[in-house]
Amino acid sequence: MAPELLTDRLLRSWLRCKRRAWLDRHGPRQRRQWSAHRALALDDQLRSFQQLLPERPGHGEAACRQGSAGVMGLRLYGHGPGGLELQAHPALLQRLPGQSRWGDYAYRPVLARQGRRLTREHRLQLALWGRLLAAHQQAPVPEALVVAGGDRRLERETLPLGPGLQHQLDESLERLAQDLQRATPPPLVNDRKKCTLCSWRSLCDETAAAEGHLSEVSGVGGKRRDLLLELGVRSLAELAAADPQRLADDLAVHGEQHREVAAQLVAQALVQAGGEPRRRGADGTPAQPGEPWGAALPELATAPGVLLYDIESDPDARDDFLHGILRLERNADGRWPEALLPLSGPGAGHYQPLLALYEHGEARLWQRLSRLLARYPDWPLLHYGETESVGLLRLAERQGVGEAERARLRARLIDVHQRLRRHWLLPVNSYGLKAVAGWRGFHWSQSGVDGARCLLWWRQWRLGGRLPRRGRHQLGRIFLYNRDDCRATWMVARWLLEQEGA
Ligand code: SF4
């Protein structure tokens, strides 16, 4: 058999999830989805490298020969343990004093770190780049450089590429080669939060649903799944069939917090297996017949209208760049507008996007927001998740709004997600807005768009897309996505109101 060709990209995929590397090599290409996260990472990388280097880097072997301060696009080849063929494409090489085959300088690899800490994935990737670069430039590469920070203050950290790391790299390359030779893909990653960033997500979601994978149960993360597997509970169906009391006792060995959630996990699995929503009782499990229940949204009983509120953020820059508000008035006959609001025309509501631009300052944003809120003093402000309430109340505080007024604002803010979780168990694998509104039949107007894609449009717009046509187009897509989130929030709220009517 021909030796496996292993690349740095395959190694990175494998370190994230073994199945991902296998799919990268053998998976059906047409099922691979474009991910905005990768584009955002490349955008961050570019900004970090621009801060690091005084001038534009050169390209490939010719730039190395000329001694450019930075070099991109150099492909490196070599051999690993057992004759494995290796190939790598370092993001950037930085020139340092030294001796190499090109003259009295040598290079070291540079990686732009994503996230707050240096991980095994970063270390092993740099070890591979360093090893192949040392052979190529005929000079040792004792260390690599890691940068982070994008357009904030650039963080720099050197990483020694010692023998210990090289040993770990050899072990990983051997195991990667073995995994790639499997006839079937490795199992789904244990902690499926990682799947959010993966281009194979939709394929693996189908597998998880078909297998009744434990991660499909809302509330079961990587650690809890390990505990359940240890107890012999291997699937959604087995969790649904478990005795809650016995499970609570077994899980309590690992901490009292697990005892407390055991019954709720069984209840959630039961609801997902049954496919029907159930009202939550006082203990968090399905309500018993005759058990009294309170309204989920009592504030809407007499309200003349609602404001549906959604923020778009750049979490790395801690920037809430768009505050979108959809105004919805109660009909003249006292009924609420339909759940599935049209995008335009009668009954669509009035959508107002408020952009938060650095150059305009926060005071102006607050002035516009508070003026809008003051025009509808008795209208509750509905949002999904805590981002909006935290963002708005902090903004008010920064703008010097007094405690009494902030308390009034707090009382107007209604987190539909929190109310839903408090009152209902739903047959969904996540209580996020996409999953819940999707379960009610809501479709976002732009397919394949998520918060990351929206953020990418925003960054592109900030970087120069404000030129007439392109800029208008990107902003228009961001507003449409944000307005859809407001409409989706109404769909969930409306469903809660309907249950109370029923
Ligand atoms: S979607 Fe998740 S399980 Fe599937 S390959 Fe990606 S990270 Fe692995």
Side-chain angles (χ1 to χ4, degrees):
M1 190 187 293
E4 286 281 357
L5 171 68
L6 303 185
T7 64
D8 47 354
R9 289 188 78 162
L10 270 176
L11 177 66
R12 189 181 61 200
S13 286
W14 184 81
L15 288 163
R16 289 178 186 176
C17 163
K18 298 184 173 32
R19 180 183 177 90
R20 180 171 178 166
W22 191 96
L23 288 171
D24 285 353
R25 170 67 50 92
H26 306 291
R29 282 174 185 275
Q30 70 281 12
R31 294 302 308 273
R32 197 173 183 160
Q33 290 174 315
W34 181 83
S35 155
H37 293 280
R38 173 98 186 114
L40 283 170
L42 288 173
D43 178 56
D44 261 3
Q45 173 179 289
L46 178 69
R47 281 186 281 165
S48 292
F49 289 172
Q50 281 170 341
Q51 272 209 63
L52 177 72
L53 292 174
E55 59 199 41
R56 224 180 145 88
H59 192 272
E61 181 71 26
C64 293
R65 275 200 303 272
Q66 286 161 10
S68 297
V71 176
M72 294 177 101
L74 184 70
R75 237 171 240 291
L76 300 169
Y77 300 89
H79 287 92
L84 291 168
E85 277 186 47
L86 305 177
Q87 192 189 101
H89 193 188
L92 178 70
L93 302 178
Q94 186 190 33
R95 190 189 62 203
L96 294 173
Q99 278 299 323
S100 71
R101 72 182 170 93
W102 297 301
D104 55 358
Y105 58 87
Y107 286 93
R108 67 175 173 182
V110 186
L111 181 141
R113 189 190 74 213
Q114 289 282 295
R116 297 195 192 286
R117 286 179 301 108
L118 199 61
T119 61
R120 186 170 138 82
E121 176 191 319
H122 299 133
R123 286 196 190 91
L124 291 184
Q125 198 169 1
L126 282 166
L128 176 58
W129 290 353
R131 181 188 292 187
L132 299 187
L133 176 62
H136 188 74
Q137 68 179 3
Q138 293 167 13
V141 181
E143 64 176 36
L145 178 68
V146 180
V147 291
D151 46 13
R152 301 186 302 280
R153 202 173 66 81
L154 192 71
E155 291 172 34
R156 299 161 202 240
E157 185 182 350
T158 50
L159 174 75
L161 304 177
L165 195 56
Q166 294 298 340
H167 180 66
Q168 285 181 38
L169 175 63
D170 280 341
E171 276 182 0
S172 298
L173 289 169
E174 282 172 342
R175 287 170 52 206
L176 164 60
Q178 284 164 12
D179 279 340
L180 290 178
Q181 282 172 1
R182 292 171 60 125
T184 53
L188 297 166
V189 69
N190 199 16
D191 180 3
R192 295 212 58 225
K193 277 196 210 113
K194 290 185 184 176
C195 302
T196 324
L197 307 180
C198 181
S199 47
W200 297 105
R201 193 178 60 204
S202 70
L203 185 71
C204 292
D205 282 349
E206 284 170 22
T207 307
E211 282 178 6
H213 197 261
L214 269 176
S215 64
E216 282 292 282
V217 182
S218 172
V220 177
K223 187 149 181 250
R224 225 165 242 158
R225 179 168 174 262
D226 279 343
L227 296 180
L228 290 169
L229 288 172
E230 250 178 58
L231 297 173
V233 180
R234 288 168 311 224
S235 67
L236 184 150
E238 288 182 11
L239 182 56
D243 172 18
Q245 188 53 53
R246 188 153 159 221
L247 187 66
D249 293 342
D250 289 345
L251 283 176
V253 178
H254 302 281
E256 277 304 304
Q257 74 278 20
H258 297 296
R259 178 199 291 281
E260 284 156 23
V261 296
Q264 293 180 30
L265 290 179
V266 174
Q268 178 63 36
L270 262 171
V271 168
Q272 286 184 233
E276 289 296 326
R278 297 281 303 274
R279 196 178 287 278
R280 225 182 243 274
D283 62 354
T285 61
Q288 299 304 315
E291 189 175 334
W293 49 270
L297 298 170
E299 298 88 341
L300 269 62
T302 55
V306 290
L307 302 173
L308 297 152
Y309 179 37
D310 189 65
I311 288 181
E312 301 302 332
S313 308
D314 182 342
D316 290 338
R318 296 199 177 88
D319 175 25
D320 293 340
F321 60 83
L322 172 64
H323 297 248
I325 294 186
L326 180 64
R327 211 170 67 219
L328 213 59
E329 194 163 5
R330 205 188 263 271
N331 295 335
D333 62 5
R335 291 199 221 174
W336 285 108
E338 286 304 316
L340 202 53
L341 296 172
L343 265 173
S344 58
H350 181 270
Y351 172 70
Q352 183 148 2
L354 300 176
L355 277 182
L357 298 174
Y358 297 124
E359 52 270 39
H360 290 170
E362 226 176 45
R364 178 158 149 186
L365 169 72
W366 173 247
Q367 201 182 41
R368 294 179 70 200
L369 265 170
S370 52
R371 239 191 256 144
L372 198 156
L373 297 178
R375 275 207 296 275
Y376 306 97
D378 304 323
W379 294 29
L381 196 51
L382 266 57
H383 57 98
Y384 201 92
E386 59 179 17
T387 306
E388 285 71 21
S389 50
V390 171
L392 187 66
L393 289 166
R394 283 196 185 146
L395 172 63
E397 193 174 357
R398 286 196 300 274
Q399 289 305 308
V401 174
E403 176 52 39
E405 198 180 328
R406 275 188 282 134
R408 277 196 292 279
L409 185 57
R410 199 175 292 118
R412 274 181 83 175
L413 285 157
I414 298 174
D415 184 351
V416 176
H417 170 257
Q418 189 202 56
R419 301 292 176 90
L420 179 75
R421 299 230 55 179
R422 194 186 296 161
H423 291 266
W424 286 91
L425 287 159
L426 301 184
V428 290
N429 60 9
S430 153
Y431 283 79
L433 182 60
K434 298 279 178 308
V436 174
W439 167 69
R440 294 308 310 148
F442 187 84
H443 294 287
W444 269 255
S445 316
Q446 305 171 98
S447 68
V449 178
D450 56 13
R453 183 76 173 256
C454 209
L455 177 54
L456 187 63
W457 287 329
W458 171 248
R459 287 194 184 167
Q460 288 168 345
W461 184 75
R462 296 276 319 168
L463 279 176
R466 284 186 235 182
L467 301 169
R469 270 179 67 197
R470 185 165 172 226
R472 262 206 310 276
H473 183 62
Q474 280 162 334
L475 267 192
R477 299 193 79 175
I478 295 171
F479 292 164
L480 183 55
Y481 176 73
N482 181 258
R483 179 161 60 163
D484 274 350
D485 276 357
C486 294
R487 294 166 69 226
T489 302
W490 178 243
M491 185 138 197
V492 181
R494 190 73 168 81
W495 181 80
L496 286 171
L497 293 172
E498 281 163 13
Q499 306 319 300
E500 280 157 27

